[in-house]
Amino acid sequence: MYREMNFRILSVVMVFFLAIVSQGCGLLGKKGTASEKENRRGEVTGVPKRQIWQQTLPVDMVAIKAGTFWMGQSDEDIAYTQSAFNKQITVSEFYMDKYEVSNNKYRQFVEAVRSGEFTYSTPTTLKEPPVFNLDEVLPDTTVWSTSFTYHYGDPLMEFYFDHPAFDNYPVVGVSWEQAQMYTEWRTYHMNANDKSDYDYPRFRLPTEAEWEYAAKGGKDVAKYPWGGPYLKNRRGCLMANFKPGRGNYIDDGFAYTAPVDVFAPNGFGLYNMAGNVSEWVLDAYSPVSSSLTWDLDPKYEDPNEKRKVVRGGSWKDIAHFLETSTRSYEFQDIKTAHIGFRTVVTFMGRSGSMDVNNNRRRKK
């Protein structure tokens, strides 16, 4: 027994001795890592001990993995626009808002501009805060009366944006330009108020290709976000908020807009990709953009084109505009009662590395 104890003690002493000797000889890295040693010999091995940054999934966003799909017409072109020809393209990975931007989320932007306070403490980004004019960012509440002829929209004009009853309804009366301002503020808001040493990628409007890919919910060809070809489920309930018949707005349960989280989400977990409000996207409008853009992450840009693409259909539109392939447009400074938006952010990495359950940025 004593021999066994002596042997254990001797083993511990030997390990301790070898550790000290090894450190003295630099065998355990006292003089630096292998790359640091190579650097001291004049080799190029990269900056050592760089911290690892992992992109987190922001609140109320979903991860959309990269994929290839057929963009364009998924059913008969009843308007005969010939502006959505089929084209196989690939879209890189990105995060997308689960819901359309609500009145209350947009109000947070307005209140930040009103107070001039974009940070809660010491900013964690070196970038200068954006500059906005309050009058430029306020939604136009008069659209509930001015967008329609001989329409009694006064109650909505008075209460829709300001009253808490409509906090979870999609913001409307915002132009494409105002949606761009919101994305600029949200980017600074994220970077200035979190604890990371690295800036988060900027928030932006989705490209038209990203929007359509996300709307299809993982299906290669889908007439509607839920697949199709029908507008009702097995129980006979309408699948979106739109105008199912002439003069009929209420069969889906809502005469105007609906809360952003009603109706079933599509395969990616996105709500109201069809109906409720149409959505601004990043691209300028051209009826022949599909033949002009690349087949990898296409985006049509034209600084002289004031028309911007609008997708998804709204509470006042017929079913044709709910189709994932239907394209329409509006001028970038126009504000209406049926157009809102949602944002996306580019994912920096491979789709396989998306950690959708991680709620904090980790630094190693």
Side-chain angles (χ1 to χ4, degrees), residues 30-104:
K30 185 177 181 181
K31 291 185 178 180
T33 63
S35 63
E36 289 174 324
K37 293 177 183 177
E38 294 296 330
N39 265 318
R40 286 197 292 272
R41 297 192 185 104
E43 300 293 345
V44 177
T45 60
V47 177
K49 297 182 179 179
R50 288 271 289 168
Q51 291 179 327
I52 296 175
W53 182 81
Q54 180 173 330
Q55 186 172 346
T56 58
L57 182 67
V59 172
D60 287 341
M61 296 192 94
V62 297
I64 311 294
K65 294 193 174 185
T68 299
F69 78 110
W70 283 96
M71 182 176 179
Q73 197 169 314
S74 56
D75 201 352
E76 183 182 2
D77 184 11
I78 61 172
Y80 202 65
T81 62
Q82 299 189 42
S83 65
F85 292 117
N86 292 107
K87 180 179 181 180
Q88 190 176 38
I89 65 168
T90 295
V91 173
S92 299
E93 46 280 320
F94 59 97
Y95 293 155
M96 189 175 208
D97 284 339
K98 184 185 299 185
Y99 313 113
E100 296 151 335
V101 174
S102 67
N103 282 321
N104 209 24

Side-chain angles (χ1 to χ4, degrees), residues 43-324:
E43 300 293 345
V44 177
T45 60
V47 177
K49 297 182 179 179
R50 288 271 289 168
Q51 291 179 327
I52 296 175
W53 182 81
Q54 180 173 330
Q55 186 172 346
T56 58
L57 182 67
V59 172
D60 287 341
M61 296 192 94
V62 297
I64 311 294
K65 294 193 174 185
T68 299
F69 78 110
W70 283 96
M71 182 176 179
Q73 197 169 314
S74 56
D75 201 352
E76 183 182 2
D77 184 11
I78 61 172
Y80 202 65
T81 62
Q82 299 189 42
S83 65
F85 292 117
N86 292 107
K87 180 179 181 180
Q88 190 176 38
I89 65 168
T90 295
V91 173
S92 299
E93 46 280 320
F94 59 97
Y95 293 155
M96 189 175 208
D97 284 339
K98 184 185 299 185
Y99 313 113
E100 296 151 335
V101 174
S102 67
N103 282 321
N104 209 24
K105 288 183 177 179
Y106 193 86
R107 187 179 297 107
Q108 185 178 351
F109 166 45
V110 171
E111 291 304 317
V113 174
R114 191 192 306 276
S115 66
E117 295 293 333
F118 294 161
T119 61
Y120 296 122
S121 57
T122 302
T124 55
T125 179
L126 297 177
K127 295 181 180 178
E128 292 294 322
V131 178
F132 303 110
N133 182 295
L134 180 60
D135 292 335
E136 291 178 342
V137 303
L138 286 171
D140 182 2
T141 59
T142 65
V143 295
W144 290 107
S145 292
T146 58
S147 293
F148 315 103
T149 303
Y150 300 114
H151 166 251
Y152 182 57
D154 294 5
L156 289 171
M157 184 173 67
E158 182 178 357
F159 295 111
Y160 187 79
F161 182 69
D162 293 320
H163 200 282
F166 293 101
D167 275 358
N168 201 37
Y169 284 64
V171 67
V172 296
V174 292
S175 66
W176 182 88
E177 296 165 337
Q178 287 176 306
Q180 293 282 62
M181 294 177 191
Y182 175 91
T183 63
E184 187 180 356
W185 164 79
R186 187 176 181 184
T187 301
Y188 184 83
H189 179 74
M190 168 69 84
N191 291 325
N193 292 299
D194 81 347
K195 298 179 180 179
S196 175
D197 294 334
Y198 304 101
D199 274 354
Y200 202 79
R202 69 185 184 89
F203 291 87
R204 55 179 173 80
L205 293 176
T207 65
E208 186 175 13
E210 286 172 335
W211 191 96
E212 184 168 329
Y213 176 65
K216 290 180 184 293
K219 299 176 174 63
D220 189 36
V221 177
K223 182 176 181 179
Y224 301 112
W226 52 88
Y230 305 111
L231 292 162
K232 295 182 178 181
N233 60 19
R234 293 178 180 178
R235 295 177 297 171
C237 300
L238 290 168
M239 298 289 287
N241 180 17
F242 69 108
K243 182 181 178 180
R246 181 172 294 182
N248 179 7
Y249 296 87
I250 198 64
D251 273 5
D252 51 54
F254 301 92
Y256 293 95
T257 58
V260 297
D261 55 357
V262 300
F263 299 101
N266 72 356
F268 285 143
L270 300 168
Y271 289 75
N272 290 304
M273 292 299 285
N276 211 24
V277 290
S278 299
E279 298 175 15
W280 292 113
V281 299
L282 198 58
D283 298 49
Y285 177 80
S286 170
V288 294
S289 59
S290 63
S291 62
L292 301 174
T293 53
W294 201 25
D295 54 4
L296 171 62
D297 290 326
K299 181 181 73 168
Y300 180 71
E301 291 182 294
D302 183 352
N304 298 316
E305 178 56 74
K306 304 303 180 184
R307 296 176 299 174
K308 305 301 179 184
V309 176
V310 174
R311 286 300 205 109
S314 76
W315 60 269
K316 74 170 193 62
D317 292 321
I318 61 173
H320 168 69
F321 291 96
L322 271 60
E323 296 179 17
T324 58

